[in-house]
Amino acid sequence: MLLDFEKPIVELEEKLAQMKKTLDLSNPTNQKIIQSFEQNILELKKETYQNLTRWQKVQLSRHADRPYTLDYIQAICTDFIELHGDRCFADDKAMVGGLGTVEGQTFMFIGQQKGRSTKQRQLRNFGMANPEGYRKALRLMKLAEKFNKPIVTLIDTPGAFPGIEAEERGQAEAIARNIQEMFRIKVPIISIIIGEGASGGALGIAVGDRVLMLENTWYSVISPESCSSILWRSWDYKEQAAEALKLTAQDMLGYKLIDGIIPEPLGGAHTNPQEMYLIFKKYLLETYQELAKIPTKKLLSQRINKFCSMGVFIE
Amino acid sequence: MEDFEELGMAWFRRQEKGIITPTEQKKETPDGLWHKCDSCKHIMLMREHKQNAYTCLNCGYHARIGSAEYFELLFDDQQFTELDPNISSANPLNFEDTKPYLKRIQQAQETSKLKDALRSAYGTLQGIPITIACMDFAFIGGSMGSVVGEKIARAVDYSIKHKTPFLCISRSGGARMMEAGFSLMQMAKTAAKLALLADAKLPYISLLTDPTTGGVSASYGMLGDLNIAEPNALIGFAGPRVIRETIGKDLPKGFQTAEYLLEHGFLDFIVHRKELKKTLARVLKMLL
C-alpha cells in the first residue's frame, strides 16, 4: 500500500533500480549519474518527511506495513513467552502480553495488537480491546510488580472497542481502574506509542514513568475523523481536525504531555523495520537504565506529580 | 386489496407516544411559573417541581439540573463555601473548528453564567463535613478539560487536608475535544488524585447522572468506593450513536441505563433524588 506522498519517492527508487540494472556500472560517468540520482532521492525524501502535515503523520501511523506490537517484541527479545487471559472472562486477542528478555533483562510487555490480513485484523479486532483486554493488561502488570520486573506498554489502538458487550462488561470501569492502578504499580513503567494512540483506550495502558512516542505517531483524545464528524458534522474535515488537535509526537512533546520522541528511519518505521527495531531497543534500554536508578517511592511520587501537573488554565 | 390496506395501516401506526402533539393541545408555558416535564410533558408548578427535588410529579423523570441545584439540595441550610471559583479555560492549542475555542468558552459563560463545567464546594451534609464537586452539563455538554481536572484535583486535595469524604456528581458527554491531549490527561490526573484520597482512607462516592459517558465515566466516574446513580440515567463508555454506527444494529431497550449498569454489577445502588441527601448521610455515617 502506498500513501500519496510516498508515490513520487517510490517511482524514483524504481527508476534507480532499473538504471542500476541497465547501465554499465564500471563506467565512471554512469557511476556519477547513479550517485547524483541517489542524492536527489535522498533530498526528496528529506524534504517530504520533514514537512509532513499532521494528517500525513496520522496516515503514516496507520500504514499497513508498519511494525506492530508483537513485531517489536519478537525482534528485540532473545526469549518471549506470551501470557493469556484476564482470569475473569476471556483472552482478548487485541491486547497481547508476556515476559520477554532483552539483553539479559526481563520485561513484562503489554500492548494492543493489530492484524495484517483481513482474517488477522478481525481476530485482533483492529487493535480495539474489550474490557477483558484492559483487565488482562492489569493482571500482567500486577504479576510484573510481584516479581519486580519492569513493564513496557506498547500503544497502537484506534480506541477501546465501542460495542454492546464491551459496555455490558464495563469498558469505562476497566479503563478507569487501569489508569488508577497504574499509579500504584511499584516497578518502572515505560509506555511507547508505536502507531495510534486514541483516547482512553490508549491511556488505559499508558500511565508510564516515561511516555515516549515514535516520530510518526499520534496521541490524542479523539481521532481526527471522529472529531471532524462531531465538530464539523461531516467526515470531510479530518485534515483540519488533525491540525486543530495538535496530535503529533512533536506537538505532544512541546506541550510536555509526553516525555520523549523515538526517531524513525527516514520514510517511516515501515520502510526499514530492522533499523527501527535497533533504535527502539536502544531507547528502551536507555530509558530503563535511567528509571532503574530511581528509588521506588520517588518513582511513584514522580509518576503522580507528572500527570497531576498536566493542564492549562487561567486563574 | 384488503391485505394491502391492512399493511398500509400497519405502516402508519404510531408506535411511540409523544412524537406529535396537535396544535390545539399544545400548551404555552410562561417562564418562571410553570415547569413542563422534558419526558412526559406533564405540567406542574415550578415550586412543586423544586420541592420534588426537580423530578417530575407525574413520571418521576429527573431533570438535568446543575451544581446550583445539587448544592442547594445537599448542603445543610444551603450553606457552602465554593472552592476555586475563578479558574477558567485557557486555549493551549489555539483550537479552532467552526468557532475559535475561546469564543465558545465566552459564549458558554454568558449563557450559563458559569465559569466552566464543574463547581466544587465544602460544607456539611446532615452535620457531616463533606467536599462536593458537581458537573454542569449546561457548559459545553459538561465536557472535561483542564479546568474540570484541576478543580477535581484541588477538591480532592481539600478533602485530604480536612479529612472529609468526597462526593463527585458527574453529568458529562466526556472529554473536551478542544483541549485534545490536555483533556485526555485529565483522566490520569483525576485518577491519580483519587488514589491519594483512597490511601488516606477517605470515602469517595461517585454519583452518575444523566448522561455520563466517555472520558468522565472512564476515569473518576467509575472509581468511587461507591458508584451510585440516579434512576434511568444514561451511563456508558461509548455513546449510543457511536455503538449503533459501529455494530450497525439497533441497541437493546434499556441499554446503558442506570438500571442496566446495576444489573451488570457496576453500581452499588440507584437512588431517587428526593432520597439522595438522606441516603448519602446514612452511608457516610456507617463508613466514617
Side-chain angles (χ1 to χ4, degrees):
Chain A
M1 191 195 87
L2 279 184
L3 300 171
D4 284 348
F5 54 90
E6 288 182 313
K7 273 181 196 153
I9 295 165
V10 171
E11 274 166 21
L12 287 182
E13 277 173 341
E14 278 166 2
K15 214 168 171 185
L16 176 72
Q18 196 139 31
M19 278 161 71
K20 278 182 177 171
K21 255 192 234 164
T22 49
L23 291 180
D24 174 12
L25 292 181
S26 56
N27 182 335
T29 328
N30 285 349
Q31 278 176 13
K32 264 196 179 160
I33 293 174
I34 297 272
Q35 263 179 15
S36 88
F37 204 80
E38 279 173 338
Q39 191 60 33
N40 285 346
I41 294 177
L42 186 68
E43 264 157 36
L44 177 67
K45 264 189 172 175
K46 276 188 186 160
E47 206 196 302
T48 307
Y49 289 98
Q50 279 162 6
N51 296 303
L52 291 176
T53 64
R54 290 186 172 90
W55 173 248
Q56 285 172 328
K57 287 197 179 177
V58 171
Q59 288 178 296
L60 270 184
S61 78
R62 296 170 178 167
H63 201 291
D65 300 331
R66 219 179 147 78
Y68 295 146
T69 295
L70 286 172
D71 298 325
Y72 284 100
I73 294 173
Q74 270 143 13
I76 66 168
C77 291
T78 46
D79 192 14
F80 174 69
I81 300 173
E82 194 176 344
L83 303 171
H84 296 275
D86 70 341
R87 299 297 188 272
C88 295
F89 178 75
D91 180 48
D92 193 336
K93 307 287 188 294
M95 184 78 80
V96 295
L99 290 161
T101 313
V102 186
E103 305 270 340
Q105 171 66 49
T106 304
F107 291 94
M108 178 66 83
F109 287 93
I110 296 163
Q112 288 103 352
Q113 179 67 32
K114 290 181 175 175
R116 238 172 265 286
S117 64
T118 307
K119 221 174 173 181
Q120 283 288 317
R121 281 194 194 104
Q122 277 174 346
L123 177 78
R124 301 295 183 183
N125 200 25
F126 304 88
M128 295 185 284
N130 273 288
E132 51 271 25
Y134 293 97
R135 291 181 182 129
K136 169 182 176 178
L138 185 57
R139 180 180 79 83
L140 296 183
M141 286 190 248
K142 292 203 166 163
L143 183 66
E145 182 186 38
K146 183 171 174 183
F147 295 98
N148 201 27
K149 303 299 170 202
I151 297 163
V152 182
T153 64
L154 304 182
I155 293 97
D156 190 8
T157 182
F161 186 61
I164 291 181
E165 293 83 3
E167 295 290 323
E168 211 167 34
R169 298 196 288 273
Q171 190 71 286
E173 194 275 344
I175 292 170
R177 183 74 46 213
N178 274 26
I179 295 171
Q180 185 166 62
E181 289 300 314
M182 285 183 86
F183 283 107
R184 294 189 165 117
I185 298 279
K186 293 186 186 69
V187 291
I189 304 174
I190 302 166
S191 299
I192 304 173
I193 287 101
I194 59 166
E196 299 188 85
S199 198
L203 186 63
I205 58 163
V207 181
D209 297 300
R210 295 288 182 277
V211 180
L212 308 175
M213 286 175 76
L214 261 56
E215 194 184 336
N216 298 309
T217 61
W218 69 273
Y219 188 18
S220 194
V221 76
I222 193 166
S223 72
E225 287 91 338
S226 303
C227 178
S228 161
S229 103
I230 295 172
L231 291 183
W232 280 270
R233 295 180 194 284
S234 148
W235 294 95
D236 304 335
Y237 295 84
K238 50 188 192 285
E239 281 100 340
Q240 279 104 311
E243 287 299 316
L245 286 167
K246 312 270 194 298
L247 41 56
T248 66
Q250 298 71 21
D251 293 322
M252 290 293 276
L253 184 63
Y255 295 125
K256 296 197 175 72
L257 296 173
I258 59 160
D259 303 294
I261 297 175
I262 300 180
E264 294 183 22
L266 190 61
H270 63 287
T271 57
N272 193 344
Q274 295 311 318
E275 191 189 338
M276 185 68 247
Y277 301 141
L278 286 176
I279 304 171
F280 184 91
K281 186 166 140 185
K282 176 173 160 276
Y283 272 77
L284 173 63
L285 290 172
E286 278 174 11
T287 308
Y288 172 62
Q289 299 305 337
E290 198 187 308
L291 293 174
K293 286 186 216 135
I294 305 171
T296 308
K297 225 180 148 181
K298 199 174 164 193
L299 188 75
L300 265 70
S301 66
Q302 281 180 356
R303 194 186 297 159
I304 288 180
N305 291 340
K306 181 180 78 173
F307 282 96
C308 284
S309 70
M310 292 176 182
V312 176
F313 46 84
I314 305 164
E315 192 171 12
Chain B
M1 276 309 275
E2 266 179 37
D3 283 345
F4 196 63
E5 269 186 27
E6 262 183 45
L7 268 173
M9 292 284 287
W11 291 349
F12 297 108
R13 185 173 301 147
R14 189 181 294 160
Q15 301 201 323
E16 283 176 49
K17 51 186 173 177
I19 297 172
I20 294 164
T21 311
T23 318
E24 61 270 21
Q25 278 182 29
K26 275 192 182 161
K27 290 168 189 165
E28 290 294 319
T29 52
D31 285 345
L33 188 56
W34 297 98
H35 175 81
K36 186 164 152 191
C37 175
D38 286 329
S39 179
C40 73
K41 315 290 177 209
H42 180 75
I43 289 173
M44 64 208 101
L45 282 169
M46 255 184 159
R47 181 167 43 80
E48 289 175 323
H49 187 240
K50 189 177 166 181
Q51 274 169 0
N52 214 32
Y54 304 96
T55 62
C56 177
L57 283 94
N58 181 46
C59 71
Y61 173 77
H62 284 50
R64 286 182 173 181
I65 56 172
S67 59
E69 292 80 9
Y70 278 109
F71 287 170
E72 169 200 305
L73 285 168
L74 295 175
F75 283 118
D76 294 338
D77 308 318
Q78 301 176 20
Q79 293 292 308
F80 60 89
T81 308
E82 192 171 345
L83 293 160
D84 314 299
N86 294 317
I87 306 182
S88 74
S89 287
N91 187 5
L93 304 181
N94 234 333
F95 196 96
E96 187 165 348
D97 48 278
T98 48
K99 236 186 252 174
Y101 178 43
L102 282 182
K103 186 138 198 210
R104 216 178 263 277
I105 289 284
Q106 205 187 344
Q107 285 176 350
Q109 285 176 339
E110 278 163 19
T111 51
S112 69
K113 308 276 177 253
L114 295 159
K115 281 270 179 184
D116 210 280
L118 180 135
R119 283 168 73 220
S120 51
Y122 64 90
T124 60
L125 185 149
Q126 290 202 359
I128 307 162
I130 189 169
T131 311
I132 305 178
C134 180
M135 301 196 75
D136 279 294
F137 196 75
F139 196 95
I140 318 185
S143 55
M144 169 186 62
S146 298
V147 176
V148 169
E150 180 69 14
K151 285 180 106 170
I152 289 182
R154 291 193 195 181
V156 172
D157 283 343
Y158 184 90
S159 289
I160 296 173
K161 194 174 168 199
H162 298 273
K163 298 191 170 54
T164 79
F166 179 61
L167 166 70
C168 183
I169 304 170
S170 295
R171 191 193 299 284
S172 166
R176 189 175 294 167
M177 264 176 289
M178 299 77 136
E179 291 184 34
F182 286 98
S183 296
L184 179 62
M185 297 309 163
Q186 302 313 306
M187 294 171 70
K189 179 172 175 170
T190 52
K193 283 288 177 185
L194 290 168
L196 298 178
L197 184 78
D199 291 346
K201 303 239 182 286
L202 293 162
Y204 165 40
I205 297 176
S206 172
L207 171 65
L208 304 162
T209 71
D210 184 60
T212 302
T213 57
V216 169
S217 61
S219 61
Y220 55 87
M222 278 291 167
L223 290 174
D225 293 309
L226 270 68
N227 292 333
I228 64 176
E230 289 186 343
N232 211 29
L234 176 91
I235 304 158
F237 174 66
R241 190 179 57 89
V242 175
I243 300 175
R244 211 178 294 119
E245 279 173 14
T246 306
I247 62 170
K249 275 191 288 197
D250 278 340
L251 301 174
K253 206 162 178 252
F255 180 61
Q256 293 186 314
T257 58
E259 291 72 14
Y260 175 93
L261 265 84
L262 181 71
E263 194 58 36
H264 285 89
F266 294 99
L267 295 177
D268 287 283
F269 55 80
I270 293 169
V271 60
H272 194 287
R273 200 183 282 154
K274 277 202 294 188
E275 305 295 320
L276 179 61
K277 184 172 180 176
K278 208 162 58 181
T279 311
L280 287 170
R282 279 170 60 209
V283 161
L284 288 173
K285 274 174 189 158
M286 282 192 251
L287 283 176
L288 291 168

